[in-house]
Amino acid sequence: MEVETPAQHRAPPQPCKSAGATRPGGSCGSARLLRNPVLVANFVLMVVGSAGGPLFIRAYFLHGGARKWLSAFLQTAGFPILLVPLCASFSRRRRRQRGGGEEASAKAAAGAPFFLMTPRLLAASAGIGLMTGLDDLLYTYGLAYLPVSTSSILISTQLAFTAAFALLLVRQRFTAFSVNAVALLSVGAAMLGMNAGGDRPAGVSRAQYDAGFAMTLGAAALFGLVLAVMELSQARHAARAGAAAVTYTLVIEMQLVIGLTATIFTAVGMLVNNDFHAIPEEAREFGFGRTGYYLLLAGSAATYQCFFLGTIGAIFFGSALLAGVVMTVLIPVTEVLAVLLFSEPFNGTKGVALALSLWGFVSYFYGEVQTAKANRQPDNNPPNAEHLDP
């Protein structure tokens, strides 16, 4: 994906990103990108998080849970897990510096900072974290009142929102195929809206269902903005003169700050709502028992952290739009699991909406393949445009 900057601030050509570090010169081919094992690992994390996260949260509400701020809190509370790869990365940097001899070893502590983030990137990540915390709350309200199948199809509209914000913020170039994909997803969401209430769960009022429907769409729109802002933050950091390279370690640091900020935001909401004091009583009355309750909370935190880590990795190695497309194609997985585990109704309207969302994904992916073929350059010719992503 190309990221254009105004002429008066145009930076030198951006390096191609590969395997956790930026490398000068040349562009990366699509096939080479897909062979990147780290990118594949991030896709796997997205599969685990996208399929498992909504099921954990919905199970929480179906079996006696009622704390929405707690559910939002769990979606980012697993951020300390990221300290493990960050510590490993720090140790590798220290070992590389010690390889220069005793003098280099003496300077290793001062020359290998634990965090690589600049103050500007730290502030940007904290802002994204606040947006993420609000998005988690909106999404949780949706899952509290909607079936997972309906919620998942509505969330698929984030691809349309991601595309719109990518156009505005990072000047994503559109093709007829990507426009077709956005249109199909929008029609699918509109069909669900016209059928609103037809799959309303027992015990959920029409007002609650409508509120969940609106909040889920709001969560999709806000998450589309979050993805685009993440990519914009990386692009601006890479374009800044004298800034450190945008590496995979750096984007993990970004996700750590995002997770910490979002968790603080939702923890404040839990304090105001008295959720911390209510947890022991809710655990005693939970349908799966006390142990099952805490295991479900832990599973929610772990799976959502997999999702967020995989998402920011997909943005780093690809683009915000790529991350949105991967999330869209995972909808059938969540749909099937929701029907099997929760016996959710799956009517004809949902089937058509799902078909439209998958058609939109295929259209987008085919357009990307055709664009990549048209723009492919010989290895001996340097790229003639600025690239943040392959």
Side-chain angles (χ1 to χ4, degrees):
M1 193 201 75
E2 296 181 356
V3 178
E4 301 175 358
T5 56
Q8 63 271 29
H9 299 295
R10 192 170 292 278
Q14 293 302 320
C16 166
K17 294 185 294 188
S18 175
T22 54
R23 295 186 303 169
S27 60
C28 297
S30 300
R32 184 178 181 182
L33 177 68
L34 293 176
R35 287 197 298 266
N36 188 331
V38 183
L39 177 61
V40 173
N42 278 280
F43 284 163
V44 172
L45 291 174
M46 289 185 71
V47 171
V48 173
S50 294
L55 298 177
F56 275 114
I57 296 298
R58 186 58 183 160
Y60 166 80
F61 287 114
L62 286 176
H63 294 278
R67 297 287 165 172
K68 299 176 181 64
W69 279 103
L70 170 61
S71 299
F73 172 85
L74 292 173
Q75 294 177 45
T76 53
F79 73 89
I81 297 173
L82 300 178
L83 290 173
V84 175
L86 287 179
C87 289
S89 176
F90 176 73
S91 299
R92 286 196 300 270
R93 295 199 303 272
R94 291 285 297 272
R95 285 197 298 270
R96 284 197 297 267
Q97 290 184 348
R98 286 171 179 159
E102 294 183 359
E103 183 177 354
S105 178
K107 298 179 180 179
F114 185 75
F115 287 107
L116 304 175
M117 300 185 73
T118 62
R120 286 187 179 183
L121 196 56
L122 177 64
S125 298
I128 296 171
L130 291 175
M131 295 165 60
T132 301
L134 177 59
D135 180 75
D136 292 342
L137 183 62
L138 292 174
Y139 180 59
T140 297
Y141 266 90
L143 276 177
Y145 301 131
L146 300 179
V148 174
S149 53
T150 302
S151 175
S152 297
I153 295 176
L154 288 175
I155 285 296
S156 72
T157 61
Q158 58 79 26
L159 178 58
F161 292 113
T162 300
F165 287 121
L167 173 65
L168 295 174
L169 298 180
V170 296
R171 300 185 182 180
Q172 170 75 43
R173 294 183 179 179
F174 280 80
T175 65
F177 297 102
S178 56
V179 172
N180 183 56
V182 171
L184 289 170
L185 288 169
S186 301
V187 171
M191 289 185 61
L192 288 177
M194 289 186 292
N195 191 50
D199 61 343
R200 190 168 70 245
V204 175
S205 68
R206 179 57 185 263
Q208 289 175 326
Y209 185 95
D210 291 342
F213 195 98
M215 289 185 180
T216 303
L217 276 179
L222 185 55
F223 193 67
L225 176 60
V226 166
L227 293 181
V229 172
M230 282 183 183
E231 184 175 0
L232 179 64
S233 300
Q234 294 182 24
R236 288 188 171 177
H237 177 84
R240 190 167 294 119
V246 179
T247 63
Y248 190 54
T249 298
L250 185 62
V251 298
I252 294 179
E253 290 181 8
M254 287 181 63
Q255 182 55 43
L256 180 70
V257 175
I258 291 169
L260 173 62
T261 308
T263 302
I264 292 174
F265 173 82
T266 50
V268 171
M270 289 181 65
L271 286 172
V272 174
N273 203 42
N274 204 33
D275 282 5
F276 286 106
H277 293 292
I279 287 176
E281 180 180 355
E282 192 172 69
R284 286 194 299 270
E285 300 174 356
F286 195 65
F288 291 157
R290 184 193 301 268
T291 301
Y293 178 82
Y294 288 113
L295 286 176
L296 188 145
L297 298 189
S300 299
T303 52
Y304 272 108
Q305 196 54 52
C306 289
F307 169 75
F308 282 115
L309 181 58
T311 299
I312 200 169
I315 293 173
F316 170 67
F317 289 107
S319 68
L321 206 52
L322 173 63
V325 168
V326 174
M327 280 183 272
T328 301
V329 80
L330 293 175
I331 290 174
V333 178
T334 307
E335 294 276 353
V336 171
L337 291 175
V339 172
L340 292 178
L341 296 177
F342 302 139
S343 300
E344 292 186 353
F346 194 82
N347 54 34
T349 302
K350 284 186 182 180
V352 174
L354 177 60
L356 289 174
S357 67
L358 293 178
W359 183 8
F361 164 77
V362 172
S363 175
Y364 171 83
F365 185 76
Y366 179 78
E368 288 297 292
V369 170
Q370 295 303 311
T371 301
K373 289 181 179 179
N375 294 338
R376 186 172 298 147
Q377 303 179 41
D379 293 337
N380 57 348
N381 290 337
N384 56 9
E386 298 180 19
H387 283 72
L388 172 68
D389 302 307

